[in-house]
Amino acid sequence: NAGVTQTPKFQVLKTGQSMTLQCAQDMNHEYMSWYRQDPGMGLRLIHYSVGAGITDQGEVPNGYNVSRSTTEDFPLRLLSAAPSQTSVYFCASSEPGRTEAFFGQGTRLTVV
Amino acid sequence: DQQVKQNSPSLSVQEGRISILNCDYTNSMFDYFLWYKKYPAEGPTFLISISSIKDKNEDGRFTVFLNKSAKHLSLHIVPSQPGDSAVYFCAASSYSGTASKLTFGTGTRLQVTL
């Protein structure tokens, strides 16, 4: 029973590099979201999706792209990494009509 | 502008006593409130929630109270146990019945001592 799986768990990038953070869920949840957690800031919503083919921006979307081609996967792309994107990233999934979201274990990203 | 605020970064409570974690919000459109618990190197896990049409919700040792007029909610843990030591996040949703867009507070680190 995997739930929400995020890969990688840790990543170091150089400024300007690109990468994709992977998120997969096996609960057949329609809703998926990406958050970042920074010290003293709590979790902030980056992008979210309410179903395959549908995505929208959250509170802090700049510098990130997402797509949702399947129900199971919701990758987060950094096109040109910046030090300000150093953070812990969490992916979450949930069902319509349910208020609790299930989170992955997080990806700790450092941009140098 | 922080719409959900947890003004106490940390709290220390003795085992067996009550832990009270507080949360304030400013957005009147929020209609669902949740508490998440987070251990180091893990993702947040859902603990308990409350709809804005209620003022109390209880689940075992955990009770959440909502005071809409004061825009304040609190989480009570009775009795507190060492395994409760974690960071607790308050979160709010303005889309009734959906967790796709949550606004989180900054968290309160609870330490339950022996």
Side-chain angles (χ1 to χ4, degrees):
Chain A
N1 189 5
V4 179
T5 303
Q6 290 183 237
T7 55
K9 286 187 170 50
F10 302 93
Q11 182 71 48
V12 179
L13 285 180
K14 292 184 179 179
T15 297
Q17 284 185 316
S18 64
M19 81 158 295
T20 300
L21 307 187
Q22 301 290 346
C23 176
Q25 52 97 3
D26 62 0
M27 297 173 283
N28 203 33
H29 287 169
E30 286 190 42
Y31 295 169
M32 295 186 76
S33 309
W34 276 103
Y35 294 85
R36 59 178 287 174
Q37 183 190 8
D38 301 296
M41 299 288 289
L43 282 79
R44 292 181 293 168
L45 182 65
I46 305 171
H47 285 284
Y48 66 102
S49 169
V50 297
I54 306 169
T55 64
D56 206 346
Q57 296 181 350
E59 180 186 356
V60 288
N62 292 341
Y64 307 95
N65 280 351
V66 292
S67 60
R68 184 97 179 271
S69 56
T70 67
T71 299
E72 294 78 19
D73 301 297
F74 191 42
L76 179 72
R77 282 184 289 276
L78 285 72
L79 297 178
S80 179
S84 61
Q85 294 177 305
T86 294
S87 188
V88 181
Y89 292 85
F90 290 101
C91 178
S93 73
S94 57
E95 295 179 288
R98 299 294 299 270
T99 52
E100 62 266 38
F102 296 84
F103 285 80
Q105 289 197 321
T107 295
R108 183 174 293 274
L109 176 68
T110 302
V111 183
V112 297
Chain B
D1 179 32
Q2 194 77 22
Q3 297 186 65
V4 177
K5 301 177 184 179
Q6 295 177 256
N7 293 318
S8 298
S10 63
L11 176 68
S12 183
V13 173
Q14 274 190 319
E15 181 181 12
R17 305 293 289 269
I18 184 172
S19 295
I20 301 176
L21 293 90
N22 294 304
C23 178
D24 297 295
Y25 63 96
T26 58
N27 189 340
S28 300
M29 298 301 292
F30 289 144
D31 58 5
Y32 236 96
F33 303 90
L34 307 90
W35 285 94
Y36 279 83
K37 177 179 180 180
K38 185 182 181 304
Y39 293 117
E42 294 185 10
T45 54
F46 171 76
L47 197 55
I48 192 169
S49 65
I50 188 168
S51 163
S52 60
I53 62 174
K54 295 185 176 181
D55 55 17
K56 178 183 175 181
N57 188 26
E58 192 171 357
D59 184 2
R61 295 186 299 114
F62 302 92
T63 303
V64 56
F65 295 92
L66 175 62
N67 182 333
K68 280 185 64 179
S69 61
K71 293 191 176 65
H72 177 82
L73 63 155
S74 60
L75 174 68
H76 292 210
I77 306 173
V78 183
S80 301
Q81 300 174 354
D84 296 329
S85 296
V87 177
Y88 289 78
F89 289 98
C90 172
S93 170
S94 54
Y95 298 85
S96 184
T98 179
S100 62
K101 295 179 65 175
L102 296 176
T103 302
F104 282 84
T106 53
T108 297
R109 184 178 302 275
L110 174 65
Q111 179 77 36
V112 180
T113 59
L114 297 175

